Amino acid sequence: MKHIAIGKRIPRLDGVEKVTGATLFGADLTLPGMLWGAVLRSPHAHARMRRVDTSKAGRMPGVLAVLTGRDFPRDDGADMPVLARRKVRYQGQAVAAVAAETPEQAAAALARIKVEYQPLPPVNDVREAIRSGAPAVHEQSEDPKLPNVCGVAEVRRGNLQAGFRQAHRIFEDTFETPWVHQGFIEPHVSLASVDPASGRVTVWTSTQAQFNQREGLAHALGLPIGKIRVIGLPVGGAFGGKNALCVEPICAQLARRAGRPVKMVVSRSDDFYATQPCGAAVIELKTGVKKDGTLVAFQARLLFDTGAHPGAQHSTGAVLAQGPYRIPNLHVKAYAVYTNKPPAGARRALTSPHVHFALESQLDIIAHALDLDPVEIRLRNALRKGDPVLGGASMPYTSAGKVVRTAAERAGWAHRARSQARNGKARGWGIAAGHWSVWAGASSAWVQVNEDGTIAVITGAINLTGTNTSFAQIAAESFGVPVDRVTAHQGDTDTSPRNDGSWGSRILFGVGEAVRRACEDAKRQLAESLSNELGVPVGRIKVKGGRVRVAGRGGRFLSLAEAAERAAGYQGAITGKAALTDLPFGVAVAAQVAEVEVDRETGRWQVLRLVCAQDVGFAINPMSVEGQVEGAASQGIGYALCEEYLYDSAGRMLNPDLMDFRLPTAPDHPQFSVHLIEPQQDAGPFGAKGVGEPPLVPTAPAIANAIFDAVGVRIRRLPITPERLHEALQRGG
Amino acid sequence: MSGEQRLQLLVNGRTHEVLAHPGERLLDVLRDRLRLTGVKEGCGTGQCGACTVLLDGRAVASCLMLVADAVGHQITTIEGLAPPGRLHPLQRAFLKHGAVQCGFCTPGMILSAKALLDQNPKPTEQEIRHALAGNLCRCTGYRKIIEAVQAVAGKADRRG
């Protein structure tokens, strides 16, 4: 089928303002009379707060508002307090805040706040946390036998013991993944003002989820939702790190107290200490397998470090732990465990990268032990069309095997050279797969047909990844007009229909489908309006190919502009609407082959080539889809290579900067090749589904497997820093 | 603020007179006094490259430079790369090749690429990767950025 707008590599509609530096991000905004907010943060990972004295700070020059935990209505339970009360549970936790005329005055005022702490022994990792007698981060545990547990999720299928009895061999391995920051380059930022007459609060912020922010702010401030307007700004990277509230409630409360607008820009170090990074995990797998590599039993204990407050996404980990494979007998038990670390939050693909690092590494271990090809063992067990997937989804259109086979074939797996040493360097190949379920959530859109026949798409979805460009393509295709006849707009919580956040690869899938349906609604309204005006049955009017056909005797064509102008005159406005929550899951599988080169002397390694295959449903904008795949894989390279929060024994972070918490740079990156599989049958618009999360999932295990292939050393803990690999090479694995 | 002085800065081909403390960061003067907000701050410690500007054609981190040290030098920000309403070939190539996602690193990235191509009009892929090593991009995986720079390097006239 020939398309006019979809399936095309169209540059981002907001691209010109980005390449010229004209895009205004949060830090670029100012308001008349604006003050600067600043936060006092805890130097301790775990301490009782005996006293907070802000009397001197309040009298400092230029200071207009001072806040402590008492200034928020919420109590300090397991629920995350905006400002700490009675106890601090991680280094960097917000304790007090000020607003002043200048940033310097705000900083000077913070220095005059006195907090008396009684330090407590910190809980530094999950194994320590669940040992009996461990210090309690919170007073209660969800598990009567284990301390510091805040959530348990279990998944069972078949008969585990019977499965293990069928097994030819049983493999038991433990894997670890680190705390990592999402790595967005724009730090958190917020600006708030209050209307003095109504008390209504407006917050401008770099967020993925403006409607969810509105709800969270209402809760934090004790205000009804209707008293809050959130204006989502252009976002300088987020990757899950801007799902949740950060300084917004503090900013809003300071503005309410001071009666002036307040701006807060979070420093890079505070963004490391005190936002919601991705938590660590310890993953214990016990897997039973037949001689031919068929998986028959799978038992997993997943310990997710949720830091000081719930948010580790342990249940997602439980559901995805089996990977894109058929396993008849399984029992997965996942725990979210408190420690004195920052509260864990979302990162691209949530806990899918954690569990797939473990499973995909173990599959490689099994393949080598049974002398099977790593591709073959995956194909043997891959989910097939129609197979159920844990969590209620199923594999609708593409088998996981097809994705694995595509990656292997495109990489030339069958003809790969055996690892060869050159100048003390060895090369190796690794493969891994992974999956993610895309769900639509609350998705809605309005489509306005202007009286000149141009079309405006309005949604409340944050345009993180260029989805507005894809929305314009969808609307253009629906009406049969070129993309330059369409504009796409991100409204705010006052000016657009409600949407869930831009997370989980759901925007193009869910909101894109809402845009398509809203276009159909607008076309129907257009036809009805013309039918009434012209006295022609509505069935004879069709909006197609950029014009309107009126069939029957004296049939004719109207241009879309002419039809729109008539309809506007007749019924005032044509505004199509759609809202949905109910699309079936879009199960998305990705597979990647990595080729690496390892220096045996130093442990340094480099990915030379990364071949990425993915079932994307349908690529509305292939350039944008490739960008998602490569960007996600890039984060996977960082996860494998260098990203890791480092702590001392007192629970203080040792590397809160971008030199010591290193993100991969241009020279760290390989040649990517991206291969999209497009069955065009998923429930999203024109058969599309979400694409942003899955390609992060296989990258780190594909690399770990390639390193094993090169040097015969299995690293079970990310990141595989040169130091860690060097040490393992010295030990001989 | 006490100690402010009248300083002359040559920015984007024009002389600007600003009242600033000589110890202020060039980044803050450009952003707050001259409203050149295409210069971004991502870390404040010279590690991310978002605040990159050109100083006499060399890429520098404006968060690590005192404004007094910039006096007498030609400063170019993203706003001065092309005349109003026009795009520099690098800007066009970044758009065409999909090298822009969130856009926060983009101004600094484009300026680092310009500094490279002005010094080395036909760089190898490795030379491009090394020239951009001080500019972090978390969205793209760099491939499309490298391709955009290569596309411009293949052409003779880069003056926009």
Side-chain angles (χ1 to χ4, degrees), chain A residues 197-247:
Chain A
S198 65
R200 209 158 180 263
V201 177
T202 301
V203 173
W204 292 258
T205 178
S206 177
T207 179
Q208 293 173 246
Q210 53 188 355
F211 289 90
N212 308 76
Q213 281 246 345
R214 180 177 67 170
E215 193 183 336
L217 279 164
H219 183 52
L221 302 175
L223 290 174
I225 277 174
K227 284 279 190 195
I228 296 167
R229 177 182 189 181
V230 177
I231 302 179
L233 299 171
V235 177
F239 319 111
K242 294 173 183 173
N243 283 0
L245 287 171
C246 181
V247 291

Side-chain angles (χ1 to χ4, degrees), chain A residues 19 28 626 630 643 666, chain B residues 31 40 91 138 143-144:
Chain A
V19 297
D28 306 331
E626 284 166 15
E630 292 169 16
E643 296 170 19
Chain B
R31 284 179 53 82
K40 300 299 177 197
Q91 292 171 315
R138 189 61 160 170
R143 176 175 77 126
K144 292 179 187 303

Side-chain angles (χ1 to χ4, degrees), chain A residues 239 348 612 624-638 664 669 672 674 692 695-696 699, chain B residues 101 137-144:
Chain A
F239 319 111
R348 199 170 197 159
C612 310
S624 166
V625 171
E626 284 166 15
Q628 287 301 301
V629 173
E630 292 169 16
S634 165
Q635 293 177 21
I637 291 168
H669 281 71
F672 288 106
V674 177
L696 168 57
T699 312
Chain B
Q101 287 193 31
C137 169
R138 189 61 160 170
C139 295
T140 65
Y142 301 95
R143 176 175 77 126
K144 292 179 187 303

Side-chain angles (χ1 to χ4, degrees), chain A residues 367-390:
Chain A
H368 285 281
L370 300 182
D371 202 22
L372 293 169
D373 185 296
V375 170
E376 180 54 36
I377 192 169
R378 287 171 172 83
L379 292 178
R380 183 171 298 283
N381 293 289
L383 287 170
R384 298 174 203 168
K385 280 187 204 180
D387 277 354
V389 177
L390 293 177

Side-chain angles (χ1 to χ4, degrees), chain A residues 540-711:
Chain A
R540 291 209 194 147
I541 300 176
K542 206 160 189 109
V543 184
K544 204 181 165 186
R547 55 190 185 168
V548 180
R549 178 168 182 235
V550 183
R553 183 172 297 175
R556 57 181 164 143
F557 286 102
L558 278 71
S559 70
L560 193 59
E562 194 186 337
E565 195 177 358
R566 278 169 174 264
Y570 188 79
Q571 73 170 52
I574 300 288
T575 306
K577 292 182 205 163
L580 60 91
T581 56
D582 60 345
L583 298 187
F585 280 92
V587 178
V589 176
Q592 294 171 7
V593 172
E595 187 182 357
V596 303
E597 185 172 80
V598 183
D599 185 329
R600 290 177 177 279
E601 294 293 315
T602 62
R604 279 176 63 94
W605 56 269
Q606 170 95 26
V607 190
L608 302 174
R609 205 156 69 97
L610 196 66
V611 179
C612 310
Q614 188 171 331
D615 171 11
V616 300
F618 173 61
I620 300 282
N621 185 331
M623 185 161 77
S624 166
V625 171
E626 284 166 15
Q628 287 301 301
V629 173
E630 292 169 16
S634 165
Q635 293 177 21
I637 291 168
Y639 199 38
L641 174 66
C642 50
E643 296 170 19
E644 179 176 29
Y645 272 63
L646 299 171
Y647 284 94
D648 68 13
S649 60
R652 286 177 303 226
M653 188 184 179
L654 297 169
N655 56 342
D657 63 78
L658 290 170
M659 188 68 81
D660 297 310
F661 185 103
R662 195 166 88 75
L663 302 179
T665 62
D668 294 317
H669 281 71
Q671 294 288 345
F672 288 106
S673 64
V674 177
H675 306 281
L676 306 180
I677 296 162
E678 302 180 80
Q680 300 191 28
Q681 289 172 322
D682 280 275
F686 303 101
K689 69 180 155 203
V691 299
E693 326 293 305
L696 168 57
V697 177
T699 312
I703 289 170
N705 293 342
I707 288 173
F708 176 84
D709 186 48
V711 292

